[in-house]
Amino acid sequence: MKTTSILSAILLIFISAKVSGQGCCSGGSGSPIAGGTSQGVLLDRQAELSTSYQYINSNKFLTGDKPAMNFLNNYHTKYLYSRFAYGITKDFTLSIESGYYFNKTQVPLGNSQPNETNKGIGDLIIFPRYDVYNHNTEKTRTEVTIGLGYKIPVGKYWDSSVVYVDPGTGKKYYTTQAPAVMPTTGSQDVILYGFAYRGYPLKKLRFFSNFVYIHKGWNPLGEKFGDYASLSLFAGTTVLKKIGLTLQLKGEFVDKMQTNNNIDMVAVYNLDITSTGGKKIILAPQINYSYKKFSVYGLTEIPIYQYVNGTAIGAEYLFTVGLAYRFSFVKMN
């Protein structure tokens, strides 16, 4: 028996989400997978439909690891992430994933400028995973899974907004919106993934970890957002037969942004690329309730330590809730 449905249901951390985290440009995770979901593989011809809603809100701005003043008033996003996964064989699972931003908003200081906000579909992620090792006994379950994903930008990566309307002529003046409010970075990225699981069914204990590395490509504007890496450790148990409790410790690293020499990011976006990228350590408690083929889950992220290059948006509040449904195309014995 492969890893049970409770695993992929309770372990959402970005929603991965996809969140296009990039130093100055995000108050959340940098993973384009829904929270860097810990995923093993499904059973042969088993399918999973899941969707999750993530809310990010930050009034925290940092210079290095110290509070920064006079930067922004607020940054917040609302995001819906969905995935369809199918077990092609007992060892190989393929998932198709995407998401939609209801809003990504920066609120500037004072009332001199309007909010910068955008919405729309983000990326399409094709994510195959292969179970390289699986061994079960009466007392233990062990699984090792690797994955190689590909992110295809679908939504907007460049847009502008009205900043002033001449009261006499009605002429509108526009400015380029910040990358932080774009639904996608516009680049094609490669995702490397590893997952290791050790369970003790009789004791109702689970220990597992995952590793995600995202190699970012260049977008058509000549911008390359920094590569992303994360390592997570999890410990979980089951109480009252249907409730799963999990605690996650995650470390994240985002590299600095790069641009072609002919792009002046300060002039175009009012963005200093030396103030992109950073690192953080996060604690994430998670809860899951399973009923038949359904699982409902929720989590929050608590930043323990964070450091940003230059001055940037820090992580403050992140909440995710979701629903997963598993079914099989063949009758299970």
Side-chain angles (χ1 to χ4, degrees):
M1 189 74 177
K2 297 293 184 185
T3 306
T4 58
S5 61
I6 194 171
L7 278 177
S8 62
I10 64 176
L11 306 179
L12 286 177
I13 51 179
F14 269 166
I15 235 179
S16 290
K18 172 206 159 280
V19 180
S20 300
Q22 181 60 46
C24 71
C25 305
S26 177
S29 170
S31 176
I33 305 172
T37 309
S38 281
Q39 304 176 60
V41 296
L42 299 175
L43 298 172
D44 184 21
R45 285 180 282 183
Q46 186 182 40
E48 180 185 75
L49 288 170
S50 65
T51 186
S52 55
Y53 174 81
Q54 181 191 70
Y55 173 70
I56 289 176
N57 187 75
S58 181
N59 296 307
K60 178 176 288 187
F61 311 102
L62 302 172
T63 298
D65 57 2
K66 307 299 182 183
M69 304 298 292
N70 300 322
F71 188 63
L72 290 172
N73 266 336
N74 177 263
Y75 177 81
H76 60 270
T77 71
K78 296 177 182 178
Y79 183 69
L80 186 70
Y81 191 89
S82 299
R83 177 177 71 243
F84 173 76
Y86 180 70
I88 297 174
T89 70
K90 66 181 181 65
D91 296 318
F92 182 71
T93 292
L94 177 67
S95 63
I96 307 295
E97 315 179 14
S98 189
Y100 182 89
Y101 282 99
F102 296 103
N103 81 285
K104 295 186 76 177
T105 301
Q106 284 190 168
V107 181
L109 291 171
N111 300 314
S112 59
Q113 296 180 353
N115 295 349
E116 282 192 84
T117 187
N118 215 312
K119 62 180 180 179
I121 192 169
D123 303 305
L124 177 68
I125 297 173
I126 302 171
F127 190 29
R129 304 185 299 280
Y130 187 76
D131 196 13
V132 295
Y133 180 78
N134 193 292
H135 180 70
N136 297 328
T137 68
E138 181 180 350
K139 295 182 179 181
T140 63
R141 292 179 179 175
T142 306
E143 178 181 354
V144 178
T145 299
I146 58 174
L148 179 64
Y150 190 63
K151 181 184 80 68
I152 304 169
V154 178
K156 295 177 288 185
Y157 57 88
W158 184 93
D159 204 353
S160 59
S161 58
V162 177
V163 292
Y164 177 74
V165 179
D166 190 309
T169 64
K171 184 179 179 179
K172 297 179 180 179
Y173 294 85
Y174 294 82
T175 188
T176 303
Q177 290 189 336
V181 301
M182 291 295 102
T184 175
T185 62
S187 65
Q188 299 182 38
D189 306 338
V190 175
I191 305 167
L192 301 177
Y193 174 78
F195 169 72
Y197 170 82
R198 178 75 167 183
Y200 301 88
L202 299 180
K203 297 181 180 180
K204 299 180 180 179
L205 291 175
R206 299 173 294 276
F207 300 95
F208 42 100
S209 64
N210 74 359
F211 172 77
V212 179
Y213 184 85
I214 302 157
H215 178 66
K216 303 290 185 70
W218 290 85
N219 69 17
L221 299 176
E223 304 162 348
K224 182 184 184 301
F225 290 77
D227 287 1
Y228 167 90
S230 73
L231 176 64
S232 295
L233 304 175
F234 303 81
T237 188
T238 301
V239 298
L240 302 177
K241 295 184 179 180
K242 296 182 179 180
I243 299 177
L245 302 175
T246 301
L247 187 64
Q248 175 199 12
L249 180 65
K250 179 176 67 169
E252 284 187 344
F253 170 80
V254 182
D255 205 355
K256 291 182 179 180
M257 187 178 183
Q258 301 177 47
T259 63
N260 290 338
N261 292 331
N262 61 338
I263 299 177
D264 187 341
M265 297 296 287
V266 175
V268 177
Y269 299 113
N270 192 28
L271 168 63
D272 182 357
I273 62 172
T274 61
S275 288
T276 60
K279 53 193 173 183
K280 65 171 78 82
I281 299 173
I282 296 166
L283 193 66
Q286 309 167 17
I287 186 169
N288 170 82
Y289 176 77
S290 298
Y291 178 74
K292 295 183 179 181
K293 298 180 180 180
F294 290 90
S295 291
V296 181
Y297 47 89
L299 65 94
T300 185
E301 289 192 357
I302 304 169
I304 299 176
Y305 175 79
Q306 49 187 320
Y307 179 93
V308 301
N309 298 319
T311 299
I313 303 168
E316 189 170 18
Y317 301 111
L318 184 151
F319 303 97
T320 301
V321 294
L323 174 68
Y325 172 67
R326 283 193 176 184
F327 58 96
S328 179
F329 287 96
V330 295
K331 185 177 180 180
M332 305 300 295
N333 295 326

